[in-house]
Amino acid sequence: MSSDASPQRDAPTNRPDDDVVWIPGGEFSMGSDEHYPEERPARQVGVDGFWIDRTPVTTAAFREFVDATGYVTLAERPPRPEEYPDADPALLVPGSAVFVPPDGPVDLRNPSNWWQYVPDANWRQPLGPESDLSEWLDHPVVHVAYEDAVAYAEWAGKRLPTEAEHERASRGGLDGATFAWGDELTPEGELMANTWQGTFPWQNTGADGHVRTSPVGSFPANGYGLVDTIGNVWEWTSDWFAVGGGDSTPTCCTPENPRGGTEAASVDPFDPARTPRKVLKGGSHLCAPNYCQRYRPAARYPEPVDTSTSHVGFRCAVSDDAD
């Protein structure tokens, strides 16, 4: 395992704003051969230097965007019946998916045992009408679909990171490490990220002080000075999902700035709606040792672009040649 964790090395002078951190360009080992199949193979890739938000976009920051533009998120719009012909009409109301823990052990093969579509759940009221904005302002914004994240990024003069950029940044300069801080999940017993403690999905001890999202920066920064790249919320990237990353560069070469697959190939063949999927990175507060060990930089998950949930947010990036 090597380290090049120098946050501002070779940083250009045109820093976009005070909320971003410079990630130096270079090669690193992307993916993993030791965990989930979709992370394979581990391979050397290279990325150019770029800026990335130090934290996930907060609810407060997203509110500034909405106040300035009047933007309405996907979760706040009524679903179009023609796009969901087999859906229960009672569910065709504005809302989003909220994690609701069951009372006891359940079949882990069926996510509907802990996910519920909650009418009027959105970024303003993450748990539904009974919740409000005040207690979530310094938390990552959630219930944002892919198009919502893109709209915010464009308003901010930024973009979403690629999968390779997100993984490079998340590793904090520790090339080949299992986690963003090293190879132990809890070094010397310290909880390093907002993840699930206990038996998912019904028993969360809250040992890290949080049972849902946490205020950004509640846990230690990685080697680049970024917080919450692991746990708290999954984060959207700009890449279409493909098994193995989808890059077509010949194996004799090191891919530079690799991208994912195609929109058409990102579709789950068993999905009757044929909804394309983007790559999520970083895991969330719902990742647990007994269920979803995706609290690692190499971890990835395919998320339909029309989906919003209570555990998915995003952060933005800026290319090094931006004005």
Side-chain angles (χ1 to χ4, degrees):
M1 179 177 66
S2 61
S3 173
D4 62 355
S6 177
Q8 297 300 321
R9 187 182 58 170
D10 299 325
T13 58
N14 59 333
R15 185 174 184 173
D17 58 52
D18 292 337
D19 298 325
V20 296
V21 171
W22 173 249
I23 307 300
E27 295 185 6
F28 71 101
S29 180
M30 183 175 178
S32 171
D33 293 325
E34 300 176 0
H35 297 92
Y36 294 100
E38 69 272 9
E39 301 169 22
R40 302 170 187 160
R43 65 260 183 215
Q44 282 294 117
V45 304
V47 295
D48 295 334
F50 62 99
W51 301 95
I52 194 166
D53 289 344
R54 188 181 67 85
T55 77
V57 173
T58 63
T59 302
F62 197 81
R63 182 175 65 175
E64 291 180 17
F65 157 63
V66 171
D67 288 346
T69 64
Y71 184 82
V72 178
T73 62
L74 191 61
E76 297 172 281
R77 307 173 215 157
R80 300 171 61 183
E82 61 270 25
E83 294 181 0
Y84 305 95
D86 298 325
D88 181 350
L91 296 179
L92 294 179
V93 296
S96 190
V98 175
F99 172 76
V100 179
D103 294 331
V106 294
D107 184 353
L108 294 179
R109 295 170 296 181
N110 184 4
S112 65
N113 284 324
W114 55 86
W115 284 112
Q116 293 183 16
Y117 185 83
V118 176
D120 293 325
N122 54 58
W123 72 273
R124 300 176 188 273
Q125 35 196 41
L127 303 183
E130 72 275 15
S131 57
D132 62 53
L133 209 60
S134 59
E135 62 182 296
W136 307 98
L137 289 175
D138 57 354
H139 290 231
V141 66
V142 292
H143 297 299
V144 283
Y146 179 73
E147 65 187 73
D148 304 326
V150 170
Y152 174 94
E154 291 178 348
W155 171 78
K158 300 179 180 180
R159 58 175 175 80
L160 297 184
T162 67
E163 179 181 3
E165 287 175 334
H166 194 288
E167 186 164 333
R168 167 75 167 172
S170 180
R171 290 186 176 278
L174 296 179
D175 191 13
T178 302
F179 304 105
W181 48 85
D183 288 321
E184 295 183 40
L185 177 59
T186 55
E188 298 184 356
E190 183 178 2
L191 297 169
M192 302 295 289
N194 181 2
T195 60
W196 186 283
Q197 294 91 50
T199 304
F200 184 87
W202 65 279
Q203 181 192 55
N204 189 346
T205 68
D208 62 4
H210 309 280
V211 295
R212 291 189 181 270
T213 59
S214 51
V216 299
S218 297
F219 295 86
N222 73 5
Y224 287 139
L226 303 177
V227 298
D228 296 331
T229 60
I230 298 299
N232 212 355
V233 294
W234 283 99
E235 298 180 10
W236 288 106
T237 73
S238 60
D239 281 359
W240 296 111
F241 179 81
V243 174
D247 190 89
S248 59
T249 303
T251 55
C252 64
C253 309
T254 299
E256 294 294 328
N257 301 309
R259 299 303 306 268
T262 65
E263 178 177 353
S266 75
V267 174
D268 182 345
F270 299 102
D271 175 17
R274 308 296 296 169
T275 306
R277 300 175 296 172
K278 292 284 187 176
V279 176
L280 298 180
K281 295 289 281 184
S284 81
H285 61 281
L286 301 182
C287 286
N290 73 304
Y291 177 66
C292 172
Q293 297 177 28
R294 290 185 169 90
Y295 31 58
R296 297 171 289 102
R300 56 203 301 265
Y301 188 81
E303 186 80 347
V305 294
D306 65 349
T307 298
S308 61
T309 73
S310 61
H311 75 328
V312 174
F314 68 102
R315 75 179 74 212
C316 300
V318 182
S319 301
D320 65 351
D321 58 354
D323 293 330

